[in-house]
Amino acid sequence: MTSKKKPKIAMVGAGACSTFLSQMLTPYFQIDCFEKSRGIGGRAAYRRYSDTNFIHGAQAFRVRDQSFFQYLNPMIEGDLLYEWVPKLISYDEFGKTFKRLWYEKRYSHCHSIAHFLKDIACFDSLYTQAKINSIAVDNRDHVVLATDDEVFKGYSFCLITAPPVQAKQLLSLNTEQEPKIKKIQSQYVSMLSLTQDNRSQWEVAYGQNMFLEKIIRMKHEQNLSNNYVVFSEILDNPNDFDKNSLRPNAYDKMKLEFFNFLKSDEDQLEHEEHHYWRYRKTMMDTDQKFYCDKSEKIYICGDSFFESNDIQAAFLSAQAVVNDLKKKGVLLV
């Protein structure tokens, strides 16, 4: 006797919310995921240089919600995740440094949060570097996705976890239907490698009254390296963002503050890369934990529906979508 074939669903975006959803929904559906970048991770991204990962996205995450802790606990007990307790300092524009503490537990993965998400993802098919141009519901009540080169059909429903600005561009929504965005914030990130060893043992340094928000010193295996990820302060962006609104000379300003803090100079710079998080934070103007269109075939979900905009928020949004599907009787084995 052959088993019944599972219906297909589509996910757009392969960040934290999609990976949590894939774990929760894999017993019920065949899952196709479409990701515009090179792989799983979203804002938990990293880049490889020499023998070190430059983690220029999420380094770790807080666990405040009991249901999220219960979900993670088997992974913590199984050593997939560990409590991250870095040596923290703060510094100001006058060069003074201060020790500081975190008062909430944070968890990380031995390689990166992106590796953790890859470990738990349950996609049946993952299409990377796939730029979706449009999403619609056809006359057979199936969701259709289109790229420049191909059309993907026959999906029971679609879950969009990409930033809401991008999600809204894919859908034909009128003003009354569309989810409202309250605020968009962006951030600059520099990845810098130095030739000379910095003998201090701090791992995370927070700037006070500076353009730099924080500096994170990468590790190679268990040892601190000469590779640093430098984050700017988080900047407000208008909804009608364009490249002309970028802060001029941001990376030069970040490097200047970075070298002043290390009491070093740019002659020691061996390697540099830069990244601009256009949607570092997006806050929705709603009390809902997700958005579902009137066809009930297309969902927009993710951490943007929570003020915290973090990994836990991505989980809670995924959990809310699954609970909604249960209420509608969609999750049938």
Side-chain angles (χ1 to χ4, degrees):
M1 181 175 167
T2 58
S3 59
K4 186 178 177 181
K5 189 175 180 180
K6 293 189 287 188
K8 289 197 307 179
I9 63 171
M11 294 184 185
V12 178
C17 190
S18 280
T19 54
F20 293 139
L21 280 165
S22 71
Q23 260 212 339
M24 298 173 190
L25 295 177
T26 192
Y28 310 99
F29 301 105
Q30 177 185 324
I31 303 170
D32 290 356
C33 183
F34 300 84
E35 168 56 46
K36 71 174 185 177
S37 70
R38 58 187 171 87
I40 295 169
R43 291 201 311 276
Y46 69 93
R47 295 184 190 178
R48 189 78 176 162
Y49 171 68
S50 184
D51 55 5
T52 305
N53 289 330
F54 276 118
I55 303 172
H56 63 289
Q59 308 280 331
F61 52 83
R62 292 173 291 188
V63 182
R64 296 169 171 171
D65 182 85
Q66 186 61 28
S67 64
F68 188 38
F69 180 77
Q70 289 173 350
Y71 171 81
L72 294 174
N73 197 45
M75 305 175 207
I76 296 169
E77 291 182 346
D79 295 328
L80 180 62
L81 296 172
Y82 69 94
E83 187 180 350
W84 190 45
V85 190
K87 294 178 181 177
L88 301 174
I89 61 170
S90 294
Y91 63 96
D92 61 21
E93 67 269 37
F94 304 109
K96 294 181 179 178
T97 59
F98 315 86
K99 288 184 180 179
R100 60 182 285 173
L101 297 172
W102 272 335
Y103 295 100
E104 294 178 301
K105 286 186 177 181
R106 285 166 167 80
Y107 292 91
S108 191
H109 183 277
C110 60
H111 294 296
S112 70
I113 299 301
H115 283 85
F116 162 64
L117 297 176
K118 289 175 186 177
D119 286 342
I120 67 171
C122 296
F123 304 124
D124 293 282
S125 297
L126 175 63
Y127 300 90
T128 57
Q129 297 181 320
K131 185 180 178 183
I132 301 297
N133 294 329
S134 64
I135 300 173
V137 180
D138 65 16
N139 55 13
R140 297 179 62 191
D141 216 22
H142 289 159
V143 178
V144 179
L145 293 82
T147 67
D148 288 335
D149 306 314
E150 198 168 351
V151 175
F152 298 84
K153 300 180 179 180
Y155 295 107
S156 298
F157 58 92
C158 177
L159 301 160
I160 307 173
T161 66
V165 174
Q166 296 173 343
K168 289 168 64 173
Q169 293 169 352
L170 298 174
L171 305 174
S172 300
L173 301 174
N174 62 42
T175 305
E176 292 181 359
Q177 292 175 319
E178 69 177 22
K180 301 296 187 296
I181 296 172
K182 181 166 61 175
K183 183 184 284 188
I184 299 171
Q185 295 178 309
S186 62
Q187 190 170 43
Y188 298 91
V189 185
S190 290
M191 290 153 273
L192 308 174
S193 181
L194 305 185
T195 57
Q196 186 170 320
D197 183 26
N198 180 345
R199 297 186 180 279
S200 60
Q201 292 301 301
W202 60 270
E203 294 173 63
V204 182
Y206 282 88
Q208 295 183 345
N209 304 316
M210 301 179 69
F211 182 50
L212 295 189
E213 180 205 23
K214 63 184 173 184
I215 303 168
I216 297 182
R217 193 173 178 190
M218 298 291 100
K219 281 187 174 181
H220 171 53
E221 296 178 346
Q222 297 303 312
N223 300 313
L224 289 168
S225 71
N226 298 324
N227 298 325
Y228 302 82
V229 180
V230 185
F231 296 83
S232 77
E233 63 185 0
I234 298 176
L235 306 166
D236 287 340
N237 264 334
N239 282 3
D240 58 349
F241 171 91
D242 63 65
K243 288 186 177 179
N244 294 326
S245 67
L246 292 176
R247 183 163 180 163
N249 305 318
Y251 297 119
D252 290 338
K253 184 174 178 59
M254 290 167 68
K255 284 196 292 183
L256 178 63
E257 291 189 1
F258 170 75
F259 285 113
N260 285 343
F261 166 66
L262 290 186
K263 296 180 174 59
S264 181
D265 58 62
E266 202 165 334
D267 291 341
Q268 296 178 18
L269 187 59
E270 179 181 74
H271 175 81
E272 67 177 296
E273 293 182 68
H274 304 288
H275 183 78
Y276 181 70
W277 288 114
R278 179 173 173 178
Y279 303 115
R280 169 64 178 80
K281 286 189 174 184
T282 307
M283 283 158 265
M284 305 302 293
D285 192 10
T286 178
D287 293 329
Q288 302 299 313
K289 298 177 181 178
F290 60 87
Y291 165 83
C292 184
D293 79 333
K294 65 178 182 179
S295 73
E296 298 193 342
K297 293 284 183 178
I298 299 172
Y299 286 80
I300 300 174
C301 50
D303 58 29
S304 299
F305 289 86
F306 292 77
E307 196 73 28
S308 58
N309 256 191
D310 57 10
I311 301 281
Q312 178 178 275
F315 170 83
L316 294 175
S317 183
Q319 186 181 62
V321 168
V322 172
N323 288 338
D324 186 65
L325 293 171
K326 286 178 180 177
K327 287 179 185 177
K328 293 173 179 173
V330 175
L331 303 188
L332 302 174
V333 179

